[in-house]
Amino acid sequence: MPKNTVTDLIISGSEASKIVLIQDSLSHNGRAFLKGYIEKLAKRVDAVHIFTLDLAISNYRQYFSSKRYRNKIILHDGYSDVAGWDSTRQQDDCIRWRSTNGIYEQFMNALKSNRVSSSDSSVAVVIDSLSPLLSHNSTNHVCSSLRKLLMPNDNFNQDNLNVSQIIALLHSDLHEDYELSSMKYIASTSINLHEISLEEKLKIDDLENAFYCGLCETKHLKKSGKLLNKKEIYGIYNDFICRIFEYRETVIESSSLDKSST
Amino acid sequence: GGKVVLLAFTQSLNHYISVGQKLGINLNSACDNKTFIFISGSKFILDGIIDSHLPNPMIDDSNCKSLRRLYETISLAISGDDGSPIPTLLIIDDVSVLLYLDFPYSNICTFLNYCQHTMCNKINGCMVSLVHNDSEVEDRSCKLLSKWLHSSSDIVLDLEGLSSGRSKDVHGQLKVIFTGRDQSDFHSLSLISRCVHYRVHDKGVSFFAMGTSPAIL
């Protein structure tokens, strides 16, 4: 039985984490990893609210329509009318990338008005992706809005709505270093995704059947204050099942010929 | 049964007509048939700046710089005569000019998002945009805009000169990147890229595998 990896503990919910930040790049797309995360997330919360800011909502509808847990998924549009320019829209329900109402109020209104059932007590918020909000608002505003979403609010406690976790995908190439640092600071878990070399991939037999794989550098701040920092490998399999493996770095040792020449 | 809408910021219609003639395309008749619509971005921007009696189309109601009117003009051009959208190709030449005109990077991203959503999701269309990303120029906004476009595109055509220097027979290198950005099909999750060399002729472009230029072979 493989040892539990840090990333797997986070994804499965065994290790609590309020804000999980998944960073990808142009050379390594993190959306498949995010989908793998949602697969496990849907099993342990009452509802998963997914805010779609990068792709049209129809992409997600199509994907989740075949899932057993589709009744737990609530999709929120953050792509089709991001600045209120579409005068033909009948409903004003698209999340604005920049709004006088602010991110927190928009998100909370969306959560309140789209509840799976009156008894759902634990909801998770998935943001795909956070990049448009971070590009159109100050870093302070984004950070404070995300923190506020997790805080108990008197109005919402009456409705028994509890945001237990926020998972946000962030494209690291689209932001300045200080923006990324600020986001990592407020996140209790930061998962940085990278490509892996063919050599690394061949070391793990189970990756042979993976459709997609990569390296995940996970930094997690436990409740005790201990900081875990681990490099692990992930693989995406059929139906976007995500599996995590231990990563053993290749150590290049100098040969005896090099030593004798010195 | 489709049409082409060209939003140009740096060249006039005559330039594209003469290029079209070299490629054997009659843009004049396409304009007459309304299968080719030319929107002069530079004229659009200058209107209202030169004539102070006209409202500036690049300033919104809250007196902030906005590309909304430009998007609405494109949206109108895309619609058919009866108001219904028809399959259309939107070409934007080139997006970097908006940065040079001091439009904030975030405003340009919003504008591109609307164009993309309209073309790709509302109608059965396609959008092609040109952006500059000069590695020698330290312009953060240009780099961010180029990366934004890369991240929101399904296919990226990355053109650059040869690393070995100028050549008479090979004018540059083209990298075609299939981003697979939605990662919806787990059978095709990986990014795919191919590199080819190209040479520009008077009446077209020829492509060949790297190192197989006719001059070498």
Side-chain angles (χ1 to χ4, degrees), chain B residues 172-197:
Chain B
Q173 178 175 296
L174 167 67
K175 192 193 255 189
V176 182
I177 304 167
F178 296 88
T179 62
R181 66 191 187 104
D182 60 354
Q183 294 202 311
S184 53
D185 177 7
F186 52 81
H187 290 110
S188 57
L189 296 176
S190 297
L191 186 147
I192 301 168
S193 71
R194 297 283 183 268
C195 266
V196 292
H197 282 158

mmCIF file with all atom_site columns, all heavy atoms in Angstrom, chain B residues 172-197:
data_model
loop_
_atom_site.group_PDB
_atom_site.id
_atom_site.type_symbol
_atom_site.label_atom_id
_atom_site.label_alt_id
_atom_site.label_comp_id
_atom_site.label_asym_id
_atom_site.label_entity_id
_atom_site.label_seq_id
_atom_site.pdbx_PDB_ins_code
_atom_site.Cartn_x
_atom_site.Cartn_y
_atom_site.Cartn_z
_atom_site.occupancy
_atom_site.B_iso_or_equiv
_atom_site.pdbx_formal_charge
_atom_site.auth_seq_id
_atom_site.auth_comp_id
_atom_site.auth_asym_id
_atom_site.auth_atom_id
_atom_site.pdbx_PDB_model_num
ATOM 1   N N   . GLY B 1 172 ? 12.160  32.414 -41.403 1.00 0.00 ? 172 GLY B N   1
ATOM 2   C CA  . GLY B 1 172 ? 11.860  32.325 -39.986 1.00 0.00 ? 172 GLY B CA  1
ATOM 3   C C   . GLY B 1 172 ? 11.350  30.951 -39.598 1.00 0.00 ? 172 GLY B C   1
ATOM 4   O O   . GLY B 1 172 ? 11.294  30.012 -40.399 1.00 0.00 ? 172 GLY B O   1
ATOM 5   N N   . GLN B 1 173 ? 10.975  30.882 -38.344 1.00 0.00 ? 173 GLN B N   1
ATOM 6   C CA  . GLN B 1 173 ? 10.504  29.618 -37.771 1.00 0.00 ? 173 GLN B CA  1
ATOM 7   C C   . GLN B 1 173 ? 9.095   29.814 -37.232 1.00 0.00 ? 173 GLN B C   1
ATOM 8   O O   . GLN B 1 173 ? 8.785   30.838 -36.607 1.00 0.00 ? 173 GLN B O   1
ATOM 9   C CB  . GLN B 1 173 ? 11.439  29.255 -36.622 1.00 0.00 ? 173 GLN B CB  1
ATOM 10  C CG  . GLN B 1 173 ? 11.070  27.994 -35.877 1.00 0.00 ? 173 GLN B CG  1
ATOM 11  C CD  . GLN B 1 173 ? 12.121  27.658 -34.846 1.00 0.00 ? 173 GLN B CD  1
ATOM 12  O OE1 . GLN B 1 173 ? 13.261  27.368 -35.173 1.00 0.00 ? 173 GLN B OE1 1
ATOM 13  N NE2 . GLN B 1 173 ? 11.744  27.705 -33.591 1.00 0.00 ? 173 GLN B NE2 1
ATOM 14  N N   . LEU B 1 174 ? 8.246   28.840 -37.490 1.00 0.00 ? 174 LEU B N   1
ATOM 15  C CA  . LEU B 1 174 ? 6.868   28.892 -36.998 1.00 0.00 ? 174 LEU B CA  1
ATOM 16  C C   . LEU B 1 174 ? 6.628   27.710 -36.074 1.00 0.00 ? 174 LEU B C   1
ATOM 17  O O   . LEU B 1 174 ? 6.851   26.558 -36.452 1.00 0.00 ? 174 LEU B O   1
ATOM 18  C CB  . LEU B 1 174 ? 5.888   28.828 -38.187 1.00 0.00 ? 174 LEU B CB  1
ATOM 19  C CG  . LEU B 1 174 ? 4.416   28.561 -37.864 1.00 0.00 ? 174 LEU B CG  1
ATOM 20  C CD1 . LEU B 1 174 ? 3.804   29.720 -37.109 1.00 0.00 ? 174 LEU B CD1 1
ATOM 21  C CD2 . LEU B 1 174 ? 3.611   28.314 -39.141 1.00 0.00 ? 174 LEU B CD2 1
ATOM 22  N N   . LYS B 1 175 ? 6.189   28.011 -34.874 1.00 0.00 ? 175 LYS B N   1
ATOM 23  C CA  . LYS B 1 175 ? 5.836   26.944 -33.935 1.00 0.00 ? 175 LYS B CA  1
ATOM 24  C C   . LYS B 1 175 ? 4.316   26.946 -33.813 1.00 0.00 ? 175 LYS B C   1
ATOM 25  O O   . LYS B 1 175 ? 3.715   27.975 -33.463 1.00 0.00 ? 175 LYS B O   1
ATOM 26  C CB  . LYS B 1 175 ? 6.460   27.221 -32.571 1.00 0.00 ? 175 LYS B CB  1
ATOM 27  C CG  . LYS B 1 175 ? 6.396   26.025 -31.618 1.00 0.00 ? 175 LYS B CG  1
ATOM 28  C CD  . LYS B 1 175 ? 6.725   26.425 -30.201 1.00 0.00 ? 175 LYS B CD  1
ATOM 29  C CE  . LYS B 1 175 ? 8.066   26.015 -29.767 1.00 0.00 ? 175 LYS B CE  1
ATOM 30  N NZ  . LYS B 1 175 ? 8.281   26.234 -28.311 1.00 0.00 ? 175 LYS B NZ  1
ATOM 31  N N   . VAL B 1 176 ? 3.721   25.814 -34.090 1.00 0.00 ? 176 VAL B N   1
ATOM 32  C CA  . VAL B 1 176 ? 2.270   25.671 -33.976 1.00 0.00 ? 176 VAL B CA  1
ATOM 33  C C   . VAL B 1 176 ? 1.983   24.937 -32.671 1.00 0.00 ? 176 VAL B C   1
ATOM 34  O O   . VAL B 1 176 ? 2.471   23.822 -32.473 1.00 0.00 ? 176 VAL B O   1
ATOM 35  C CB  . VAL B 1 176 ? 1.686   24.866 -35.161 1.00 0.00 ? 176 VAL B CB  1
ATOM 36  C CG1 . VAL B 1 176 ? 0.171   24.790 -35.038 1.00 0.00 ? 176 VAL B CG1 1
ATOM 37  C CG2 . VAL B 1 176 ? 2.089   25.506 -36.479 1.00 0.00 ? 176 VAL B CG2 1
ATOM 38  N N   . ILE B 1 177 ? 1.244   25.591 -31.798 1.00 0.00 ? 177 ILE B N   1
ATOM 39  C CA  . ILE B 1 177 ? 0.961   24.996 -30.483 1.00 0.00 ? 177 ILE B CA  1
ATOM 40  C C   . ILE B 1 177 ? -0.532  24.764 -30.340 1.00 0.00 ? 177 ILE B C   1
ATOM 41  O O   . ILE B 1 177 ? -1.326  25.710 -30.442 1.00 0.00 ? 177 ILE B O   1
ATOM 42  C CB  . ILE B 1 177 ? 1.440   25.931 -29.349 1.00 0.00 ? 177 ILE B CB  1
ATOM 43  C CG1 . ILE B 1 177 ? 2.929   26.259 -29.519 1.00 0.00 ? 177 ILE B CG1 1
ATOM 44  C CG2 . ILE B 1 177 ? 1.205   25.288 -27.975 1.00 0.00 ? 177 ILE B CG2 1
ATOM 45  C CD1 . ILE B 1 177 ? 3.414   27.401 -28.645 1.00 0.00 ? 177 ILE B CD1 1
ATOM 46  N N   . PHE B 1 178 ? -0.902  23.510 -30.121 1.00 0.00 ? 178 PHE B N   1
ATOM 47  C CA  . PHE B 1 178 ? -2.296  23.177 -29.812 1.00 0.00 ? 178 PHE B CA  1
ATOM 48  C C   . PHE B 1 178 ? -2.391  23.142 -28.284 1.00 0.00 ? 178 PHE B C   1
ATOM 49  O O   . PHE B 1 178 ? -1.897  22.219 -27.652 1.00 0.00 ? 178 PHE B O   1
ATOM 50  C CB  . PHE B 1 178 ? -2.689  21.816 -30.407 1.00 0.00 ? 178 PHE B CB  1
ATOM 51  C CG  . PHE B 1 178 ? -2.641  21.806 -31.909 1.00 0.00 ? 178 PHE B CG  1
ATOM 52  C CD1 . PHE B 1 178 ? -1.471  21.505 -32.587 1.00 0.00 ? 178 PHE B CD1 1
ATOM 53  C CD2 . PHE B 1 178 ? -3.773  22.101 -32.659 1.00 0.00 ? 178 PHE B CD2 1
ATOM 54  C CE1 . PHE B 1 178 ? -1.416  21.515 -33.976 1.00 0.00 ? 178 PHE B CE1 1
ATOM 55  C CE2 . PHE B 1 178 ? -3.734  22.107 -34.050 1.00 0.00 ? 178 PHE B CE2 1
ATOM 56  C CZ  . PHE B 1 178 ? -2.553  21.817 -34.705 1.00 0.00 ? 178 PHE B CZ  1
ATOM 57  N N   . THR B 1 179 ? -3.008  24.151 -27.720 1.00 0.00 ? 179 THR B N   1
ATOM 58  C CA  . THR B 1 179 ? -2.944  24.311 -26.264 1.00 0.00 ? 179 THR B CA  1
ATOM 59  C C   . THR B 1 179 ? -3.806  23.302 -25.515 1.00 0.00 ? 179 THR B C   1
ATOM 60  O O   . THR B 1 179 ? -3.487  22.956 -24.387 1.00 0.00 ? 179 THR B O   1
ATOM 61  C CB  . THR B 1 179 ? -3.386  25.721 -25.852 1.00 0.00 ? 179 THR B CB  1
ATOM 62  O OG1 . THR B 1 179 ? -4.742  25.913 -26.250 1.00 0.00 ? 179 THR B OG1 1
ATOM 63  C CG2 . THR B 1 179 ? -2.513  26.787 -26.504 1.00 0.00 ? 179 THR B CG2 1
ATOM 64  N N   . GLY B 1 180 ? -4.907  22.867 -26.121 1.00 0.00 ? 180 GLY B N   1
ATOM 65  C CA  . GLY B 1 180 ? -5.818  21.954 -25.409 1.00 0.00 ? 180 GLY B CA  1
ATOM 66  C C   . GLY B 1 180 ? -6.239  22.563 -24.085 1.00 0.00 ? 180 GLY B C   1
ATOM 67  O O   . GLY B 1 180 ? -6.280  21.882 -23.054 1.00 0.00 ? 180 GLY B O   1
ATOM 68  N N   . ARG B 1 181 ? -6.547  23.837 -24.090 1.00 0.00 ? 181 ARG B N   1
ATOM 69  C CA  . ARG B 1 181 ? -6.712  24.559 -22.826 1.00 0.00 ? 181 ARG B CA  1
ATOM 70  C C   . ARG B 1 181 ? -7.895  24.098 -21.997 1.00 0.00 ? 181 ARG B C   1
ATOM 71  O O   . ARG B 1 181 ? -7.879  24.213 -20.775 1.00 0.00 ? 181 ARG B O   1
ATOM 72  C CB  . ARG B 1 181 ? -6.812  26.067 -23.090 1.00 0.00 ? 181 ARG B CB  1
ATOM 73  C CG  . ARG B 1 181 ? -8.047  26.476 -23.855 1.00 0.00 ? 181 ARG B CG  1
ATOM 74  C CD  . ARG B 1 181 ? -7.942  27.911 -24.308 1.00 0.00 ? 181 ARG B CD  1
ATOM 75  N NE  . ARG B 1 181 ? -9.193  28.324 -24.897 1.00 0.00 ? 181 ARG B NE  1
ATOM 76  C CZ  . ARG B 1 181 ? -10.079 29.109 -24.291 1.00 0.00 ? 181 ARG B CZ  1
ATOM 77  N NH1 . ARG B 1 181 ? -9.822  29.569 -23.092 1.00 0.00 ? 181 ARG B NH1 1
ATOM 78  N NH2 . ARG B 1 181 ? -11.205 29.434 -24.881 1.00 0.00 ? 181 ARG B NH2 1
ATOM 79  N N   . ASP B 1 182 ? -8.962  23.572 -22.611 1.00 0.00 ? 182 ASP B N   1
ATOM 80  C CA  . ASP B 1 182 ? -10.094 23.180 -21.773 1.00 0.00 ? 182 ASP B CA  1
ATOM 81  C C   . ASP B 1 182 ? -9.881  21.803 -21.144 1.00 0.00 ? 182 ASP B C   1
ATOM 82  O O   . ASP B 1 182 ? -10.544 21.460 -20.158 1.00 0.00 ? 182 ASP B O   1
ATOM 83  C CB  . ASP B 1 182 ? -11.406 23.228 -22.566 1.00 0.00 ? 182 ASP B CB  1
ATOM 84  C CG  . ASP B 1 182 ? -11.409 22.291 -23.762 1.00 0.00 ? 182 ASP B CG  1
ATOM 85  O OD1 . ASP B 1 182 ? -10.348 21.689 -24.039 1.00 0.00 ? 182 ASP B OD1 1
ATOM 86  O OD2 . ASP B 1 182 ? -12.446 22.166 -24.428 1.00 0.00 ? 182 ASP B OD2 1
ATOM 87  N N   . GLN B 1 183 ? -8.936  21.015 -21.697 1.00 0.00 ? 183 GLN B N   1
ATOM 88  C CA  . GLN B 1 183 ? -8.639  19.684 -21.152 1.00 0.00 ? 183 GLN B CA  1
ATOM 89  C C   . GLN B 1 183 ? -9.922  18.919 -20.842 1.00 0.00 ? 183 GLN B C   1
ATOM 90  O O   . GLN B 1 183 ? -10.124 18.403 -19.741 1.00 0.00 ? 183 GLN B O   1
ATOM 91  C CB  . GLN B 1 183 ? -7.756  19.805 -19.901 1.00 0.00 ? 183 GLN B CB  1
ATOM 92  C CG  . GLN B 1 183 ? -6.378  20.350 -20.219 1.00 0.00 ? 183 GLN B CG  1
ATOM 93  C CD  . GLN B 1 183 ? -5.330  19.996 -19.176 1.00 0.00 ? 183 GLN B CD  1
ATOM 94  O OE1 . GLN B 1 183 ? -5.535  20.163 -17.993 1.00 0.00 ? 183 GLN B OE1 1
ATOM 95  N NE2 . GLN B 1 183 ? -4.202  19.498 -19.635 1.00 0.00 ? 183 GLN B NE2 1
ATOM 96  N N   . SER B 1 184 ? -10.801 18.880 -21.828 1.00 0.00 ? 184 SER B N   1
ATOM 97  C CA  . SER B 1 184 ? -12.091 18.237 -21.597 1.00 0.00 ? 184 SER B CA  1
ATOM 98  C C   . SER B 1 184 ? -12.046 16.745 -21.937 1.00 0.00 ? 184 SER B C   1
ATOM 99  O O   . SER B 1 184 ? -12.801 15.955 -21.400 1.00 0.00 ? 184 SER B O   1
ATOM 100 C CB  . SER B 1 184 ? -13.182 18.924 -22.414 1.00 0.00 ? 184 SER B CB  1
ATOM 101 O OG  . SER B 1 184 ? -12.775 18.989 -23.773 1.00 0.00 ? 184 SER B OG  1
ATOM 102 N N   . ASP B 1 185 ? -11.141 16.386 -22.831 1.00 0.00 ? 185 ASP B N   1
ATOM 103 C CA  . ASP B 1 185 ? -11.057 14.989 -23.233 1.00 0.00 ? 185 ASP B CA  1
ATOM 104 C C   . ASP B 1 185 ? -9.769  14.398 -22.663 1.00 0.00 ? 185 ASP B C   1
ATOM 105 O O   . ASP B 1 185 ? -8.669  14.841 -23.023 1.00 0.00 ? 185 ASP B O   1
ATOM 106 C CB  . ASP B 1 185 ? -11.053 14.909 -24.769 1.00 0.00 ? 185 ASP B CB  1
ATOM 107 C CG  . ASP B 1 185 ? -10.900 13.491 -25.281 1.00 0.00 ? 185 ASP B CG  1
ATOM 108 O OD1 . ASP B 1 185 ? -10.934 12.553 -24.460 1.00 0.00 ? 185 ASP B OD1 1
ATOM 109 O OD2 . ASP B 1 185 ? -10.765 13.323 -26.505 1.00 0.00 ? 185 ASP B OD2 1
ATOM 110 N N   . PHE B 1 186 ? -9.877  13.427 -21.783 1.00 0.00 ? 186 PHE B N   1
ATOM 111 C CA  . PHE B 1 186 ? -8.651  12.941 -21.127 1.00 0.00 ? 186 PHE B CA  1
ATOM 112 C C   . PHE B 1 186 ? -7.746  12.165 -22.083 1.00 0.00 ? 186 PHE B C   1
ATOM 113 O O   . PHE B 1 186 ? -6.635  11.814 -21.727 1.00 0.00 ? 186 PHE B O   1
ATOM 114 C CB  . PHE B 1 186 ? -8.954  12.128 -19.860 1.00 0.00 ? 186 PHE B CB  1
ATOM 115 C CG  . PHE B 1 186 ? -9.931  11.012 -20.037 1.00 0.00 ? 186 PHE B CG  1
ATOM 116 C CD1 . PHE B 1 186 ? -9.543  9.793  -20.548 1.00 0.00 ? 186 PHE B CD1 1
ATOM 117 C CD2 . PHE B 1 186 ? -11.265 11.173 -19.677 1.00 0.00 ? 186 PHE B CD2 1
ATOM 118 C CE1 . PHE B 1 186 ? -10.459 8.760  -20.703 1.00 0.00 ? 186 PHE B CE1 1
ATOM 119 C CE2 . PHE B 1 186 ? -12.178 10.145 -19.816 1.00 0.00 ? 186 PHE B CE2 1
ATOM 120 C CZ  . PHE B 1 186 ? -11.786 8.942  -20.333 1.00 0.00 ? 186 PHE B CZ  1
ATOM 121 N N   . HIS B 1 187 ? -8.224  11.924 -23.313 1.00 0.00 ? 187 HIS B N   1
ATOM 122 C CA  . HIS B 1 187 ? -7.350  11.283 -24.301 1.00 0.00 ? 187 HIS B CA  1
ATOM 123 C C   . HIS B 1 187 ? -6.416  12.293 -24.967 1.00 0.00 ? 187 HIS B C   1
ATOM 124 O O   . HIS B 1 187 ? -5.462  11.923 -25.625 1.00 0.00 ? 187 HIS B O   1
ATOM 125 C CB  . HIS B 1 187 ? -8.193  10.594 -25.380 1.00 0.00 ? 187 HIS B CB  1
ATOM 126 C CG  . HIS B 1 187 ? -8.910  9.383  -24.863 1.00 0.00 ? 187 HIS B CG  1
ATOM 127 N ND1 . HIS B 1 187 ? -10.264 9.340  -24.686 1.00 0.00 ? 187 HIS B ND1 1
ATOM 128 C CD2 . HIS B 1 187 ? -8.454  8.177  -24.467 1.00 0.00 ? 187 HIS B CD2 1
ATOM 129 C CE1 . HIS B 1 187 ? -10.622 8.145  -24.206 1.00 0.00 ? 187 HIS B CE1 1
ATOM 130 N NE2 . HIS B 1 187 ? -9.546  7.426  -24.066 1.00 0.00 ? 187 HIS B NE2 1
ATOM 131 N N   . SER B 1 188 ? -6.720  13.567 -24.825 1.00 0.00 ? 188 SER B N   1
ATOM 132 C CA  . SER B 1 188 ? -5.885  14.583 -25.487 1.00 0.00 ? 188 SER B CA  1
ATOM 133 C C   . SER B 1 188 ? -5.634  15.748 -24.538 1.00 0.00 ? 188 SER B C   1
ATOM 134 O O   . SER B 1 188 ? -6.101  16.860 -24.771 1.00 0.00 ? 188 SER B O   1
ATOM 135 C CB  . SER B 1 188 ? -6.565  15.071 -26.772 1.00 0.00 ? 188 SER B CB  1
ATOM 136 O OG  . SER B 1 188 ? -7.855  15.582 -26.464 1.00 0.00 ? 188 SER B OG  1
ATOM 137 N N   . LEU B 1 189 ? -4.924  15.464 -23.455 1.00 0.00 ? 189 LEU B N   1
ATOM 138 C CA  . LEU B 1 189 ? -4.711  16.489 -22.434 1.00 0.00 ? 189 LEU B CA  1
ATOM 139 C C   . LEU B 1 189 ? -3.411  17.253 -22.642 1.00 0.00 ? 189 LEU B C   1
ATOM 140 O O   . LEU B 1 189 ? -3.259  18.373 -22.187 1.00 0.00 ? 189 LEU B O   1
ATOM 141 C CB  . LEU B 1 189 ? -4.698  15.853 -21.035 1.00 0.00 ? 189 LEU B CB  1
ATOM 142 C CG  . LEU B 1 189 ? -6.006  15.204 -20.568 1.00 0.00 ? 189 LEU B CG  1
ATOM 143 C CD1 . LEU B 1 189 ? -5.816  14.542 -19.220 1.00 0.00 ? 189 LEU B CD1 1
ATOM 144 C CD2 . LEU B 1 189 ? -7.113  16.236 -20.481 1.00 0.00 ? 189 LEU B CD2 1
ATOM 145 N N   . SER B 1 190 ? -2.471  16.626 -23.299 1.00 0.00 ? 190 SER B N   1
ATOM 146 C CA  . SER B 1 190 ? -1.145  17.236 -23.390 1.00 0.00 ? 190 SER B CA  1
ATOM 147 C C   . SER B 1 190 ? -1.095  18.311 -24.457 1.00 0.00 ? 190 SER B C   1
ATOM 148 O O   . SER B 1 190 ? -1.792  18.257 -25.462 1.00 0.00 ? 190 SER B O   1
ATOM 149 C CB  . SER B 1 190 ? -0.089  16.181 -23.711 1.00 0.00 ? 190 SER B CB  1
ATOM 150 O OG  . SER B 1 190 ? -0.022  15.252 -22.666 1.00 0.00 ? 190 SER B OG  1
ATOM 151 N N   . LEU B 1 191 ? -0.216  19.246 -24.212 1.00 0.00 ? 191 LEU B N   1
ATOM 152 C CA  . LEU B 1 191 ? 0.037   20.316 -25.169 1.00 0.00 ? 191 LEU B CA  1
ATOM 153 C C   . LEU B 1 191 ? 0.836   19.712 -26.329 1.00 0.00 ? 191 LEU B C   1
ATOM 154 O O   . LEU B 1 191 ? 1.748   18.934 -26.127 1.00 0.00 ? 191 LEU B O   1
ATOM 155 C CB  . LEU B 1 191 ? 0.866   21.384 -24.446 1.00 0.00 ? 191 LEU B CB  1
ATOM 156 C CG  . LEU B 1 191 ? 1.194   22.683 -25.103 1.00 0.00 ? 191 LEU B CG  1
ATOM 157 C CD1 . LEU B 1 191 ? 1.236   23.769 -24.039 1.00 0.00 ? 191 LEU B CD1 1
ATOM 158 C CD2 . LEU B 1 191 ? 2.557   22.618 -25.771 1.00 0.00 ? 191 LEU B CD2 1
ATOM 159 N N   . ILE B 1 192 ? 0.421   20.046 -27.552 1.00 0.00 ? 192 ILE B N   1
ATOM 160 C CA  . ILE B 1 192 ? 1.132   19.520 -28.727 1.00 0.00 ? 192 ILE B CA  1
ATOM 161 C C   . ILE B 1 192 ? 1.733   20.690 -29.484 1.00 0.00 ? 192 ILE B C   1
ATOM 162 O O   . ILE B 1 192 ? 1.049   21.687 -29.741 1.00 0.00 ? 192 ILE B O   1
ATOM 163 C CB  . ILE B 1 192 ? 0.151   18.767 -29.655 1.00 0.00 ? 192 ILE B CB  1
ATOM 164 C CG1 . ILE B 1 192 ? -0.504  17.606 -28.901 1.00 0.00 ? 192 ILE B CG1 1
ATOM 165 C CG2 . ILE B 1 192 ? 0.866   18.246 -30.891 1.00 0.00 ? 192 ILE B CG2 1
ATOM 166 C CD1 . ILE B 1 192 ? -1.682  16.992 -29.633 1.00 0.00 ? 192 ILE B CD1 1
ATOM 167 N N   . SER B 1 193 ? 3.002   20.574 -29.836 1.00 0.00 ? 193 SER B N   1
ATOM 168 C CA  . SER B 1 193 ? 3.594   21.655 -30.632 1.00 0.00 ? 193 SER B CA  1
ATOM 169 C C   . SER B 1 193 ? 4.455   21.085 -31.743 1.00 0.00 ? 193 SER B C   1
ATOM 170 O O   . SER B 1 193 ? 5.053   20.022 -31.607 1.00 0.00 ? 193 SER B O   1
ATOM 171 C CB  . SER B 1 193 ? 4.417   22.590 -29.741 1.00 0.00 ? 193 SER B CB  1
ATOM 172 O OG  . SER B 1 193 ? 5.581   21.958 -29.321 1.00 0.00 ? 193 SER B OG  1
ATOM 173 N N   . ARG B 1 194 ? 4.451   21.797 -32.848 1.00 0.00 ? 194 ARG B N   1
ATOM 174 C CA  . ARG B 1 194 ? 5.253   21.416 -34.021 1.00 0.00 ? 194 ARG B CA  1
ATOM 175 C C   . ARG B 1 194 ? 5.985   22.646 -34.521 1.00 0.00 ? 194 ARG B C   1
ATOM 176 O O   . ARG B 1 194 ? 5.427   23.739 -34.546 1.00 0.00 ? 194 ARG B O   1
ATOM 177 C CB  . ARG B 1 194 ? 4.341   20.910 -35.152 1.00 0.00 ? 194 ARG B CB  1
ATOM 178 C CG  . ARG B 1 194 ? 3.552   19.670 -34.827 1.00 0.00 ? 194 ARG B CG  1
ATOM 179 C CD  . ARG B 1 194 ? 4.412   18.404 -34.900 1.00 0.00 ? 194 ARG B CD  1
ATOM 180 N NE  . ARG B 1 194 ? 3.610   17.217 -34.643 1.00 0.00 ? 194 ARG B NE  1
ATOM 181 C CZ  . ARG B 1 194 ? 3.433   16.669 -33.442 1.00 0.00 ? 194 ARG B CZ  1
ATOM 182 N NH1 . ARG B 1 194 ? 3.995   17.199 -32.390 1.00 0.00 ? 194 ARG B NH1 1
ATOM 183 N NH2 . ARG B 1 194 ? 2.692   15.589 -33.293 1.00 0.00 ? 194 ARG B NH2 1
ATOM 184 N N   . CYS B 1 195 ? 7.226   22.433 -34.965 1.00 0.00 ? 195 CYS B N   1
ATOM 185 C CA  . CYS B 1 195 ? 8.026   23.547 -35.490 1.00 0.00 ? 195 CYS B CA  1
ATOM 186 C C   . CYS B 1 195 ? 8.296   23.353 -36.973 1.00 0.00 ? 195 CYS B C   1
ATOM 187 O O   . CYS B 1 195 ? 8.669   22.252 -37.380 1.00 0.00 ? 195 CYS B O   1
ATOM 188 C CB  . CYS B 1 195 ? 9.373   23.596 -34.777 1.00 0.00 ? 195 CYS B CB  1
ATOM 189 S SG  . CYS B 1 195 ? 9.362   24.712 -33.390 1.00 0.00 ? 195 CYS B SG  1
ATOM 190 N N   . VAL B 1 196 ? 8.134   24.400 -37.734 1.00 0.00 ? 196 VAL B N   1
ATOM 191 C CA  . VAL B 1 196 ? 8.498   24.335 -39.157 1.00 0.00 ? 196 VAL B CA  1
ATOM 192 C C   . VAL B 1 196 ? 9.224   25.632 -39.525 1.00 0.00 ? 196 VAL B C   1
ATOM 193 O O   . VAL B 1 196 ? 9.122   26.636 -38.822 1.00 0.00 ? 196 VAL B O   1
ATOM 194 C CB  . VAL B 1 196 ? 7.255   24.173 -40.075 1.00 0.00 ? 196 VAL B CB  1
ATOM 195 C CG1 . VAL B 1 196 ? 6.606   22.833 -39.885 1.00 0.00 ? 196 VAL B CG1 1
ATOM 196 C CG2 . VAL B 1 196 ? 6.264   25.287 -39.880 1.00 0.00 ? 196 VAL B CG2 1
ATOM 197 N N   . HIS B 1 197 ? 9.955   25.582 -40.618 1.00 0.00 ? 197 HIS B N   1
ATOM 198 C CA  . HIS B 1 197 ? 10.550  26.795 -41.169 1.00 0.00 ? 197 HIS B CA  1
ATOM 199 C C   . HIS B 1 197 ? 9.648   27.326 -42.273 1.00 0.00 ? 197 HIS B C   1
ATOM 200 O O   . HIS B 1 197 ? 8.856   26.578 -42.849 1.00 0.00 ? 197 HIS B O   1
ATOM 201 C CB  . HIS B 1 197 ? 11.946  26.498 -41.737 1.00 0.00 ? 197 HIS B CB  1
ATOM 202 C CG  . HIS B 1 197 ? 12.974  26.387 -40.672 1.00 0.00 ? 197 HIS B CG  1
ATOM 203 N ND1 . HIS B 1 197 ? 14.160  25.721 -40.854 1.00 0.00 ? 197 HIS B ND1 1
ATOM 204 C CD2 . HIS B 1 197 ? 13.013  26.851 -39.396 1.00 0.00 ? 197 HIS B CD2 1
ATOM 205 C CE1 . HIS B 1 197 ? 14.882  25.790 -39.755 1.00 0.00 ? 197 HIS B CE1 1
ATOM 206 N NE2 . HIS B 1 197 ? 14.201  26.457 -38.861 1.00 0.00 ? 197 HIS B NE2 1
#
